[in-house]
Amino acid sequence: PNNPEGVALFVRAQAKMGQFDRAVQAGRGFLAANQRDERAGTTVRLAVARALLEANRNLDAAREYEVALSKPAGRVPEAYYGLSRAAEKLGSAERAQQIIGTLCGSAGADVRNRLLLADFYSQDFEDQKVIEIISGFPGYDNNNLALLVRLADAQQRAARWSGDPADAFGTAQAILRQSPTNVRGHLVMARSFALAQNFRKAAVQYDQLIAI
């Protein structure tokens, strides 16, 4: 009960099971008892804020993210992303964009921050946003595996709606040319073949994936 990582995991797990009140209560109990530990508080506060966001208690979530961002330890991509999502759900698309712009503007050259932002959008199945972020990198297609893998995942999921996996297939090929045993590259390739109803080739890819 006194370990911030443990409490944060508990809060996130409870939220995933839909036990939002219990999740928030556990997190806020920790915060009340550990007011002077800024770093530990941030770890738990972000979990509480995410639980509130998932419960559609968007105003409460926004307040928690704002508290986190008011302190140096809380100025992390997850807090900017969460506050942006809360603003978006509250009907303020312009503010949501400004918040993301603040993160990207202050850390424009920080590839890691932008990759984390793409990952947060991916977790929320916002595939077009992931594609926009990755495509916005200068030279994103220049054999950068970290970028290509995320792009392929997003393109493959987006292709389920259009029925055309050509973009995902091309990105997966670029990944596998550079890294022939890349698991995520093979997985995107297999799913792309399956989406195109070429199940024989999909099976070949899955066999290679299992062997890897």
Side-chain angles (χ1 to χ4, degrees):
N2 297 316
N3 180 278
E5 288 79 13
V7 173
L9 285 171
F10 179 81
V11 170
R12 293 180 191 275
Q14 289 293 324
K16 285 182 180 179
M17 293 191 295
Q19 301 293 325
F20 299 113
D21 289 340
R22 189 178 179 195
V24 172
Q25 183 179 7
R28 285 183 170 164
F30 177 90
L31 292 172
N34 297 271
Q35 296 183 27
R36 295 185 179 181
D37 192 335
E38 184 178 315
R39 190 166 297 279
T42 295
T43 298
V44 175
R45 191 178 300 281
L46 290 175
V48 170
R50 180 67 192 192
L52 290 166
L53 195 63
E54 291 177 4
N56 284 319
R57 292 167 58 182
N58 302 309
L59 189 57
D60 289 338
R63 287 172 181 152
E64 294 291 350
Y65 284 121
E66 285 170 348
V67 171
L69 286 167
S70 70
K71 301 174 182 179
R75 291 171 199 147
V76 294
E78 182 180 358
Y80 286 98
Y81 173 77
L83 183 58
S84 173
R85 294 293 285 177
E88 190 178 294
K89 289 185 174 187
L90 288 166
S92 183
E94 186 176 345
R95 182 165 184 249
Q97 211 167 26
Q98 288 172 348
I99 293 163
I100 292 299
T102 300
L103 171 64
C104 293
S106 63
D110 190 336
V111 174
R112 182 175 178 275
N113 274 358
R114 286 181 178 239
L115 288 180
L116 286 171
L117 184 61
D119 287 342
F120 290 131
Y121 276 116
S122 181
Q123 289 165 19
D124 283 338
F125 302 100
E126 293 277 357
D127 298 310
Q128 288 303 322
K129 289 278 191 182
V130 177
I131 293 169
E132 287 173 18
I133 291 169
I134 300 301
S135 299
F137 277 99
Y140 79 91
D141 56 348
N142 190 23
N143 298 324
N144 186 317
L145 273 178
L147 297 175
L148 289 174
V149 163
R150 286 164 173 80
L151 181 62
D153 283 343
Q155 289 173 330
Q156 191 278 317
R157 290 201 310 200
R160 291 181 298 182
W161 302 102
S162 67
D164 181 6
D167 289 341
F169 186 84
T171 306
Q173 283 184 313
I175 292 168
L176 295 176
R177 278 196 299 269
Q178 187 178 167
S179 176
T181 58
N182 189 283
V183 169
R184 286 168 72 179
H186 278 288
L187 190 57
V188 168
M189 184 78 77
R191 288 172 171 169
S192 296
F193 277 130
L195 188 62
Q197 297 189 4
N198 191 333
F199 300 114
R200 184 183 62 79
K201 287 189 176 180
V204 170
Q205 286 296 321
Y206 280 120
D207 279 340
Q208 290 182 30
L209 186 56
I210 290 167
I212 293 168

